[in-house]
Amino acid sequence: MPRPLTTNDQGKRALERLRKIKPFVQASLTLTKKRCGNPRCRCAQEGPLHEVALLTWKEENRTRTLYVPMQLRPEVERWVQEGKLLKRLVAEVSQAQREFLTSKKKSRKSNKG
Ligand SMILES: [Zn+2]
């Protein structure tokens, strides 16, 4: 017996994509320039400064940051993109379920009337 329909087409599509979600992080990747702190490095005097990648996110209303090593930047960028996709899909499924509820309410009304 087929399972009763508990979502609509939009919900089905979003759920299918959700099942294929890859590692993600809900944060943003920012590039900034910094002095490394070594007093003998040329950045301490004239520069150029070092380009640094930071992962930033909010935790209990505080902005947290984490240093991202150069060789991991492309990978972490993928996690960030996947995190954005996840957020979008969560919103899509939520919307689909609300619409599903609304359509049930309507069809019940029209059946009675
Ligand atoms: Zn330096």
Side-chain angles (χ1 to χ4, degrees):
M1 235 178 79
R3 282 179 57 198
L5 194 61
T6 56
T7 187
N8 57 22
D9 285 349
Q10 185 200 1
K12 262 188 262 175
R13 276 195 303 273
L15 282 169
E16 248 164 58
R17 186 58 189 82
L18 260 176
R19 284 188 200 102
K20 293 176 194 155
I21 209 86
K22 295 188 190 79
F24 60 85
V25 64
Q26 289 189 312
S28 39
L29 190 62
T30 53
L31 296 178
T32 182
K33 289 187 176 175
K34 280 202 163 179
R35 291 188 167 82
C36 64
N38 178 355
R40 282 184 298 180
C41 180
R42 59 182 185 168
C43 74
Q45 301 298 326
E46 62 237 55
L49 302 183
H50 303 269
E51 196 180 66
V52 179
L54 296 172
L55 194 68
T56 66
W57 71 100
K58 288 255 185 179
E59 211 174 274
E60 289 167 0
N61 283 327
R62 289 182 58 191
T63 302
R64 306 283 311 269
T65 63
L66 197 57
Y67 168 76
V68 179
M70 181 78 92
Q71 70 273 19
L72 279 176
R73 279 183 202 179
E75 179 67 22
V76 173
E77 182 58 37
R78 281 194 286 274
W79 302 347
V80 170
Q81 290 309 318
E82 202 72 1
K84 284 180 188 164
L85 175 66
L86 176 68
K87 196 178 168 187
R88 219 161 51 230
L89 291 172
V90 166
E92 272 176 35
V93 175
S94 297
Q95 196 195 342
Q97 298 317 105
R98 289 191 298 261
E99 280 171 12
F100 181 76
L101 263 183
T102 307
S103 69
K104 285 287 154 190
K105 220 161 64 184
K106 273 181 199 152
S107 62
R108 203 166 57 217
K109 252 183 214 164
S110 59
N111 287 348
K112 272 184 191 171

